[in-house]
Amino acid sequence: MQTNNSKENQPLIRIEALVKTYETNAGPLDALKAIDLTVYPGEYIGVIGKSGAGKTTLINMISGVDKITSGWVNVNGTEVQELNEDGLAQWRGLNLGVIYQSFNLLPMLSLRDNITLAMDFCGKYQQGKSEKKAMELLESVELAEHAHKPPAYISGGQKQRVAIARALANDPAVILADEPTGRLDSATSETIFAIFNRLIDQGKTILMVSHDRTLSRRVERVIELADGQIVSDTGAVHGS
Amino acid sequence: MKPRWRKILADMGSNLPRFVLVILSLAVGMFAVGMITGGYVLTMEDMQAGYDSIQSADIRITTEDFDENLVERVRRLDGVTAADGEKQLQVQMLNGDGEWKNLVIKVLPEDGQKINKIDLLSGQMPVGEEILIDIHRDIALETGDSLLIQLPSGTERELTITGQVRDQTIGTTGNTYFVSPSYGYIPFDTLLYLEQEMTYDTLLVRVDPALSEDEVKTLSDEIVGNVEQSGLDVSSITILDSGSHPNLGYVEAIGGLLAVLGFLTVFLSGFLVFNSMSALFAQQVQYIGIMKAIGAKKSDIIKMYMVLILVFGLIALVISVPLSAWASSKLGDFLGMRLNFLSGGMRYVPLVVILQIVIALILPQAAGIIPILKTSNISVQEAITTTGIDAGDVGTRWIDRLLQKIKGLSRPMLVSLRNTFRRKGRFILTLITLSLGGAVFISTFNVRASLESYTYQVSRYILADVSIDFDRHYRIDEIERMAMSVDGVAGVEPRGRAITQLLNEDGEAAESVEMTGAPPESDLIEPIMMKGRWILPGDRNAIVLNEAFAVRYPDLDVGDTITLYVNRREVDWTIVGFFQFLGTDSFNAYVPLDYLNEITGHYGQAINFQIIASPEISRAGMQEDLARRLDDFFRTEGYALKSSTATDEIWGNATEGLDTLTTFLLIMSGLTALVGSISLAGTMGMNVMERTRETGVMRAIGATDWQVMRLVIVEGLIIGVLSWFFGSLLAFPISYLMSYIVNSSIFGVAGEFIFDVSGFLIWLGMVLLLSLLASIIPANNAAKLTIREVLAYE
Ligand SMILES: Nc1ncnc2c1ncn2[C@@H]1O[C@H](COP(=O)(O)OP(=O)(O)OP(=O)(O)O)[C@@H](O)[C@H]1O
Ligand SMILES: [Mg+2]
C-alpha cells in the first residue's frame, strides 16, 4: 500500500520495448511490437482495440502468465521477466488481482472458500481472520448471503463479482481485468463498473480490456491497440 | 482446515465416480497382491505346521509279523526319537452308494500313535468292532453308520463308524494322494475280529532331526540289522521326506502360478491406476490454471495432489487389507480341503500387510507422478483458455493417415476409429491391460490342456481295462484260461512284481525299488521315455528306471550297470532307458518278466494280471462291472485275490488332483478378466466424459441417441478385438511359463506344451461381450446428455 500515497509520482507499471512473438505453425507471429507504457498509481485505464490486436497478450505480459519475448516489464518495482514461474505465481498472488471474461471460479468450493484459497496460496491464510476478511469482501460486492453456495448456484454477474472479491483477497495495488463484462448484459455490467469506480476511489490502479462502447466515458485514460502497437493513448495524467 | 485441503476434499465429493474408479483400481491391485501372497503364506504355514504336528515317519520298514518287543528295541537305538508298529490290510467295502471299493485298514498301535498321527476331526476313537474313516474320499456313509467289509478270505464283517479323521500321510507311500483308496483305522484288538494275527508288519521310525542324510541311511541300516537279528525278512525299506507334506508339490505349483498372477496384477493395476489418474488430472487442468493465476506455486500444486494420492492409497489400503486377508483364508480353506491339510483360519500376515502398505505408498505415487507433473507444468494462460473440445493427436500420426486411405468406411465408423487412437497413452495402457488379462485367461486353458495331456500319457502305462492282484503267484496259463472263461474278457497279460533294494556303500540292502516284470512284447504299455529305450524282446537283464533315479542319482546313464538286491541275491542290470511316470520320489523299474521269474524262481508264474475287456464292455463303459465280476469269480474259485480294479477308476481319481488346479486356474482367469474389464470400462467412461462437449455438438447437428451410442460401442469393440489379437500372441510365452511351473512342481518335468484352441475362442467371445458391457454404460450416458446440458457446460 505504501506505493499509493508515498510514491504518488513514481510510476507503478513501466513497460519498455515489449515484444511478444508467438511461434505458430504458420511461422512467428508478432502479437506485440515494441510497446512502451507507463502507468501511475490510482490510474483507471481502458484498453481497446479490434479482435486480435494484442490486448489479452498485453495483460498476460503484465501478469506474467506468459513469457516475454523481449523488452521489460516492471510492476511496482519488480522486474517481471526476471522471476521464475513459482516466483511469478507468488508475486502475482500478492500484488495483482486478475479478472477474466470467464469467471474462473473453482466449482467445487463455496464462494467464501474461493476467496480464502487465494489467501492460502500466498501464505496469508489464518483460520478465523481470513474468513472474516473474505466475508467483508463478499459484503462489499453484496454477496455475503450467498457465501456458502457453490458458484453453480449464482448468476454470471454474481460470479464476476465474486471473481473481483477474490482478486482483492490479498489487497493488491493493481487490478488487471480482461473483458470482465464480456459475458454480461449491460445492466449487470453496470454493477461491475460501479465496483471498479469504488476501487479507484479507494486508490487501486485498474487496467481493463473492454469492448464496451461506453468505456471511454467510464475511464480516465484510453489506450488503443492495433496490430500489436499502441495507436492512441488519450487522457494520460502524466502524458506518455 | 486450509482452503486448499478443502478444495481437495470438495473435489472428491463433487467428482465421486472418477475418484472411486481410481481408488477401486488401486484396491483391486492391492487386494489381489494381498490375497495371492497371503494365501500362499497361509497355505505354506498351515500345511507345514499341520504336517510337523503329526510326526511323520522318517523311515518305513516292511517285514514279517512282529510284536511290541521289536518296536521297544528299535526305540532304544541312538538317533531314534520314536518308533511305532503298524499294520495295513487291504479289504473291499460297500460304500453308501452301494458300490464295492478298495479300503485300506490301518491298525492303531496299542499304546497310541506316536508317528504318522491322524487328526480326529469328528466323533470319537474306536473300540472293539468300530472304525474311523478318513475324509479324503467320500464314501457316502456317516458317523454311526455300519460299514460292511469283505476280507481277503471272502468273509464279510461289519464295523461301526465312530468318526472322521484326516491322515496327512496319505500319498507318502505307494500311490500319490489323489489315486489313494479310502483309509480306515481300527484299534489293535480288532485285528482278531478281522481274522488277523495280533501283530505288526511295518515299522515306523522318527529320527533325530539333527542327523544328516547319510547318518539317517546308516541308522536305517542299523535298524534293518536289528530286524534281521530277530529272524525276520525285510521286504522294503523306505526313507521318507518327513519334512514336507505329500501334496507340497501342488501347493508349489499353485504358488508358482500365483506368483505369475501377482506379478501381472501389479502391472495391470498399475496401468489401471495410471489411466484413471491421467483422466482425473485431465479434468483438473483448468482448476490448476486458476489456482496458479491466483498465486499457487507449482510445488503447492504438486504437494496438494500428492497428498490426495496418499489419501487414495490409504483408503484403498483400508479396503483391501481386511478383504484380502479374508480371501486368503478362503483360498487356504479351499486348498486345505482339496490338498489334505488343516487351514488355520483367517489371520493377518505381517509381511503381507507390510507389502500392501508399501504398495499403497509407492504404486499410486508412481502412477500419479507423471500426470501430476504434466498438469502442474501447464501455463496459466494455456489452462484457462482450454476449451471443451480436445483434439488429442488427431491427424498428426501415421494411424490417421492410414485411416484416411481405407476406402468405404462410413463417417461414424471413421469417427470411432479415430477416437480409439486419440488418447494414445490411455489407449496403449488399456490395450496392454486387457491383452495381459486375455493372455492369462487363454494360458489357463493351455496349461490345463498340457496337464491333461500329461495325465493321458501317464495313463498309457496301463492300457488294460482291469488290473487284478493276487496275494501269491499263480501259473500264467492257468489264470489266463480261468480269466478268459469270464464273460467280456478279451485278453490277459501277466505282470510280476518284486520289492528289491538298492545297495549302500557297504553292500547292504538299502532303499526299496518297486520292480515290475512285464513281457517285453507287451503293447499294453506306452511309456514316456526320458532317455534310452523300453525293454525289447530278447532283452535279459535289461532294466528301465523311472525319473526318481534320474533325480537322486544323476550320474546314472543308459548303458551303466546297476546292482539291486532281488530275492536276497545281488543282481546286475543293464540300464537301457529312463521313463517318466507320475513324478513320485519312490523308485520304480520295469524288467523283462521271464528274467525276473528266473531270479525269483517263479517260472511261468505271475502275481498281477492285466485284463483287456471285449469291445462291447469297453464301449458300454462296463469296466467296473467286469472288475467286480472277476473279483467274485476268482474268490469263489478259491484264489487268494487281493484286489480287482478297473483302471479308469484310477485315472478318474488321478485327474481329481488336477481338477483342483484347473478350478484354481479358472478363478485366476476370472480375476484377470475382471481387472481387464474394469480397465476397459474406466477408459470408455473417461473417453466419454472428456468428449461431453463434442457429443453435444454432434447431437446439435442431428446425431440420434443410437448413433452417439454406436460411436462409443464400436470404439470399445475395436479395443476388445485388438486386445484379443495381442493377448493371443502374449499367451504363448505366458502359457509356456505357467505350464513349465505347474508340470515341474507336480511331475518334476517340464512336460509337453499343448495349445488349446478353445481358450482363444472363448476369450474372443468373452472379450467381445466384456467390451460391449464396458462401453454400454458410458455410451448410454453419452446419449442421455441433452444438448443444453452439454453446451451450457462451463
Ligand atoms: N497462444 C497463442 N499462440 C499463437 N498465437 C496467439 C496465441 N495467443 C494469441 N495469439 C495471436 O496473437 C494475436 C493477439 O492475440 P490476443 O489474444 O492478444 O488478441 P485480443 O486483442 O485479446 O483479441 P480479442 O479481442 O479477440 O480477445 C492474435 O493474432 C492471436 O491469434
Ligand atoms: Mg482477448
Side-chain angles (χ1 to χ4, degrees):
Chain A
M1 282 324 86
Q2 74 272 42
T3 51
N4 255 3
N5 303 315
S6 60
K7 292 182 183 174
E8 183 69 37
N9 294 322
Q10 287 294 314
L12 185 58
I13 302 173
R14 286 198 319 179
I15 297 173
E16 273 175 33
L18 174 62
V19 173
K20 174 64 184 177
T21 307
Y22 289 112
E23 293 304 328
T24 68
N25 289 338
L29 186 143
D30 297 323
L32 293 176
K33 301 165 183 165
I35 298 277
D36 295 307
L37 179 66
T38 310
V39 177
Y40 288 89
E43 274 194 301
Y44 189 7
I45 303 172
V47 180
I48 57 169
K50 289 205 188 85
S51 182
K55 307 181 292 293
T56 299
T57 306
L58 178 61
I59 296 282
N60 285 347
M61 293 299 105
I62 300 171
S63 66
V65 300
D66 204 356
K67 279 230 145 37
I68 290 166
T69 306
S70 71
W72 55 271
V73 176
N74 183 306
V75 179
N76 206 2
T78 304
E79 298 285 336
V80 176
Q81 66 278 1
E82 278 167 18
L83 292 175
N84 64 14
E85 213 201 300
D86 278 358
L88 270 171
Q90 289 282 286
W91 167 79
R92 184 165 54 236
L94 284 169
N95 298 283
L96 298 179
V98 191
I99 299 162
Y100 300 94
Q101 177 178 1
S102 53
F103 323 111
N104 284 327
L105 298 176
L106 291 178
M108 74 296 288
L109 289 181
S110 70
L111 305 188
R112 190 198 65 186
D113 290 344
N114 260 287
I115 297 170
T116 51
L117 185 66
M119 304 175 188
D120 183 6
F121 284 129
C122 296
K124 282 194 160 181
Y125 180 78
Q126 291 163 292
Q127 182 89 48
K129 213 172 142 197
S130 297
E131 278 158 15
K132 201 165 140 261
K133 171 103 188 283
M135 288 307 288
E136 281 167 19
L137 288 168
L138 282 172
E139 190 86 51
S140 72
V141 294
E142 291 163 24
L143 283 171
E145 72 271 30
H146 300 295
H148 298 288
K149 285 186 185 169
Y153 293 171
I154 58 174
S155 73
Q158 290 171 322
K159 278 184 199 163
Q160 196 58 296
R161 270 141 63 194
V162 177
I164 296 172
R166 182 181 60 185
L168 297 170
N170 296 315
D171 208 3
V174 182
I175 306 281
L176 300 174
D178 191 357
E179 297 186 45
T181 59
R183 283 193 177 189
L184 306 175
D185 60 52
S186 54
T188 314
S189 302
E190 279 315 320
T191 63
I192 302 296
F193 289 132
I195 294 169
F196 282 174
N197 284 335
R198 218 170 54 232
L199 291 175
I200 290 295
D201 291 344
Q202 286 165 15
K204 302 280 183 205
T205 306
I206 298 179
L207 196 73
M208 171 170 64
V209 172
S210 181
H211 283 302
D212 199 293
R213 256 177 308 208
T214 59
L215 185 73
S216 50
R217 57 176 172 74
R218 296 182 188 283
V219 300
E220 299 154 354
R221 177 179 171 190
V222 176
I223 293 169
E224 189 181 353
L225 283 180
D227 204 12
Q229 281 171 314
I230 294 177
V231 290
S232 76
D233 186 348
T234 54
V237 191
H238 300 266
S240 57
Chain B
M1 191 179 4
K2 278 189 167 187
R4 64 179 75 176
W5 302 126
R6 207 170 292 165
K7 139 100 181 44
I8 292 288
L9 216 73
D11 262 343
M12 291 210 206
S14 64
N15 226 328
L16 220 51
R18 281 191 199 199
F19 285 83
V20 168
L21 189 69
V22 174
I23 292 173
L24 210 71
S25 38
L26 268 174
V28 164
M30 281 158 60
F31 166 80
V33 168
M35 182 186 81
I36 287 167
T37 48
Y40 183 68
V41 171
L42 290 190
T43 301
M44 287 303 258
E45 277 181 9
D46 293 345
M47 196 178 222
Q48 193 61 51
Y51 202 63
D52 287 346
S53 75
I54 66 156
Q55 300 284 309
S56 85
D58 291 301
I59 303 169
R60 184 173 185 273
I61 296 168
T62 57
T63 172
E64 295 167 285
D65 287 1
F66 62 89
D67 60 17
E68 190 62 29
N69 288 332
L70 175 66
V71 182
E72 210 32 67
R73 247 198 346 269
V74 170
R75 249 175 224 152
R76 281 198 298 269
L77 291 176
D78 254 4
V80 171
T81 56
D84 265 351
E86 191 196 61
K87 186 173 225 169
Q88 287 195 10
L89 186 60
Q90 198 169 354
V91 302
Q92 297 284 305
M93 66 160 171
L94 190 62
N95 71 13
D97 298 328
E99 300 158 338
W100 285 96
K101 296 275 175 184
N102 288 333
L103 173 71
V104 177
I105 294 180
K106 278 196 197 179
V107 177
L108 300 168
E110 270 184 291
D111 51 348
Q113 284 188 304
K114 286 168 288 300
I115 296 179
N116 286 3
K117 291 195 266 188
I118 50 173
D119 305 315
L120 187 63
L121 299 176
S122 65
Q124 46 201 206
M125 294 304 281
V127 275
E129 294 162 14
E130 293 179 338
I131 188 165
L132 289 169
I133 294 292
D134 137 82
I135 55 157
H136 97 288
R137 219 160 268 305
D138 184 14
I139 65 164
L141 288 173
E142 281 161 33
T143 302
D145 288 348
S146 149
L147 176 72
L148 182 67
I149 61 170
Q150 189 186 45
L151 301 174
S153 65
T155 316
E156 294 194 344
R157 285 280 190 257
E158 276 193 29
L159 291 164
T160 306
I161 300 172
T162 61
Q164 289 194 314
V165 297
R166 167 178 280 123
D167 182 351
Q168 297 183 57
T169 64
I170 296 176
T172 48
T173 51
N175 291 325
T176 60
Y177 175 73
F178 292 101
V179 298
S180 293
S182 298
Y183 277 74
Y185 306 81
I186 55 163
F188 190 68
D189 305 337
T190 311
L191 277 173
L192 272 183
Y193 177 62
L194 302 185
E195 300 181 333
Q196 304 295 312
E197 299 212 22
M198 299 263 285
T199 52
Y200 302 113
D201 60 10
T202 304
L203 190 62
L204 302 178
V205 180
R206 285 268 308 172
V207 304
D208 185 348
L211 294 186
S212 72
E213 206 174 310
D214 283 342
E215 286 167 331
V216 174
K217 276 187 184 158
T218 315
L219 182 56
S220 153
D221 293 343
E222 194 183 342
I223 297 167
V224 170
N226 248 280
V227 174
E228 284 172 343
Q229 263 172 30
S230 316
L232 301 171
D233 267 352
V234 170
S235 49
S236 82
I237 307 155
T238 318
I239 294 178
L240 298 149
D241 178 7
S242 66
S244 45
H245 193 287
N247 292 333
L248 185 66
Y250 284 87
V251 175
E252 280 170 351
I254 287 171
L257 291 177
L258 284 174
V260 174
L261 179 65
F263 187 71
L264 290 180
T265 328
V266 171
F267 266 92
L268 294 189
S269 111
F271 292 153
L272 203 55
V273 172
F274 181 80
N275 261 357
S276 40
M277 285 215 187
S278 302
L280 194 67
F281 286 108
Q283 191 197 28
Q284 292 283 328
V285 167
Q286 207 180 353
Y287 307 148
I288 290 173
I290 297 173
M291 289 190 286
K292 279 184 154 184
I294 60 172
K297 294 194 296 273
K298 200 165 114 185
S299 57
D300 290 329
I301 307 271
I302 293 176
K303 215 164 42 192
M304 276 168 77
Y305 287 102
M306 289 305 247
V307 169
L308 175 69
I309 287 178
L310 188 72
V311 173
F312 286 165
L314 294 181
I315 296 176
L317 193 67
V318 169
I319 297 172
S320 59
V321 165
L323 216 61
S324 61
W326 174 82
S328 310
S329 74
K330 288 291 152 212
L331 186 63
D333 288 349
F334 169 76
L335 293 178
M337 208 170 64
R338 291 305 200 86
L339 300 178
N340 202 26
F341 66 92
L342 182 71
S343 63
M346 178 167 160
R347 59 188 188 272
Y348 290 94
V349 181
L351 201 78
V352 174
V353 177
I354 290 170
L355 183 68
Q356 284 176 308
I357 292 175
V358 170
I359 294 177
L361 293 179
I362 292 175
L363 180 73
Q365 307 284 345
I369 195 77
I370 294 170
I372 289 178
L373 288 180
K374 224 166 91 183
T375 37
S376 68
N377 263 330
I378 205 148
S379 79
V380 178
Q381 150 247 12
E382 212 178 323
I384 282 175
T385 52
T386 295
T387 65
I389 300 180
D390 179 358
D393 300 325
V394 174
T396 54
R397 273 164 314 114
W398 60 272
I399 198 101
D400 288 292
R401 286 196 291 276
L402 193 78
L403 289 177
Q404 305 280 4
K405 287 195 190 117
I406 304 174
K407 297 277 179 325
L409 280 177
S410 70
R411 282 289 113 186
M413 185 66 185
L414 196 65
V415 172
S416 283
L417 275 168
R418 286 175 149 214
N419 280 345
T420 309
F421 303 106
R422 207 152 100 179
R423 288 257 164 221
K424 195 170 41 172
R426 181 184 305 162
F427 164 72
I428 289 174
L429 286 188
T430 309
L431 195 62
I432 293 177
T433 313
L434 208 54
S435 303
L436 271 179
V440 172
F441 188 92
I442 294 168
S443 302
T444 58
F445 282 80
N446 294 334
V447 171
R448 194 175 72 167
S450 84
L451 276 176
E452 273 170 2
S453 131
Y454 191 77
T455 355
Y456 173 76
Q457 284 188 38
V458 169
S459 78
R460 309 297 284 173
Y461 279 95
I462 308 179
L463 289 177
D465 297 288
V466 176
S467 169
I468 42 184
D469 276 296
F470 292 96
D471 274 329
R472 43 159 293 219
H473 284 79
Y474 285 103
R475 289 209 55 80
I476 296 169
D477 46 9
E478 175 188 341
I479 297 295
E480 267 178 1
R481 190 164 32 78
M482 297 294 287
M484 291 300 280
S485 74
V486 174
D487 198 29
V489 174
V492 182
E493 203 179 275
R495 293 280 183 277
R497 291 206 201 290
I499 299 286
T500 66
Q501 284 95 29
L502 287 163
L503 300 182
N504 65 11
E505 289 100 47
D506 304 331
E508 294 161 341
E511 284 181 81
S512 302
V513 177
E514 191 179 312
M515 187 177 280
T516 304
E521 66 279 1
S522 170
D523 46 14
L524 293 182
I525 301 173
E526 276 177 19
I528 312 165
M529 296 311 296
M530 296 165 70
K531 220 194 237 178
R533 61 166 177 85
W534 193 249
I535 45 174
L536 291 176
D539 278 341
R540 266 179 65 77
N541 66 340
I543 191 168
V544 273
L545 306 173
N546 75 337
E547 68 269 37
F549 287 92
V551 172
R552 298 266 294 277
Y553 298 98
D555 289 341
L556 280 185
D557 204 351
V558 174
D560 290 354
T561 297
I562 184 168
T563 309
L564 295 173
Y565 255 124
V566 187
N567 212 25
R568 259 166 299 152
R569 256 178 62 194
E570 282 184 28
V571 182
D572 286 340
W573 301 89
T574 306
I575 302 170
V576 294
F578 288 87
F579 67 98
Q580 173 67 47
F581 198 52
L582 273 172
T584 47
D585 295 333
S586 44
F587 297 114
N588 287 281
Y590 275 84
V591 297
L593 176 62
D594 289 344
Y595 188 66
L596 180 65
N597 280 344
E598 232 174 80
I599 300 164
T600 54
H602 292 293
Y603 299 100
Q605 297 182 341
I607 195 163
N608 169 280
F609 292 84
Q610 303 286 308
I611 308 290
I612 306 158
S614 66
E616 298 81 54
I617 297 274
S618 306
R619 243 181 279 125
M622 302 271 284
Q623 291 94 332
E624 287 201 33
D625 174 66
L626 180 62
R628 185 67 206 154
R629 283 191 289 119
L630 282 163
D631 187 287
D632 280 345
F633 175 76
F634 281 107
R635 282 186 210 281
T636 325
E637 295 290 325
Y639 288 90
L641 185 80
K642 193 173 179 188
S643 68
S644 165
T645 319
T647 49
D648 53 356
E649 189 183 349
I650 300 176
W651 299 119
N653 291 338
T655 48
E656 204 175 288
L658 301 179
D659 280 349
T660 305
L661 279 176
T662 313
T663 312
F664 185 78
L665 286 170
L666 256 145
I667 298 173
M668 229 172 111
S669 56
L671 248 170
T672 46
L674 181 77
V675 174
S677 42
I678 290 181
S679 106
L680 183 60
T683 300
M684 296 313 296
M686 288 175 230
N687 286 351
V688 167
M689 274 194 269
E690 260 174 29
R691 295 185 209 132
T692 303
R693 186 175 278 254
E694 159 184 325
T695 307
V697 174
M698 281 197 290
R699 303 283 314 266
I701 59 171
T704 63
D705 282 3
W706 169 236
Q707 282 171 327
V708 169
M709 277 182 75
R710 204 174 49 185
L711 286 181
V712 180
I713 291 173
V714 168
E715 189 182 338
L717 289 178
I718 292 172
I719 298 180
V721 171
L722 281 175
S723 82
W724 177 79
F725 175 75
F726 289 114
S728 299
L729 292 184
L730 261 177
F732 284 79
I734 293 179
S735 303
Y736 187 82
L737 179 67
M738 283 176 25
S739 301
Y740 178 82
I741 291 172
V742 171
N743 280 313
S744 55
S745 336
I746 294 180
F747 305 120
V749 276
E752 206 190 345
F753 185 40
I754 304 278
F755 272 101
D756 183 0
V757 228
S758 58
F760 292 88
L761 294 181
I762 293 174
W763 178 245
L764 178 62
M766 280 196 52
V767 83
L768 288 179
L769 195 72
L770 285 176
S771 335
L772 202 64
L773 290 179
S775 47
I776 268 180
I777 299 168
N780 197 39
N781 285 344
K784 267 203 320 241
L785 292 165
T786 67
I787 300 170
R788 189 192 48 78
E789 262 176 338
V790 173
L791 296 182
Y793 168 88
E794 194 216 45

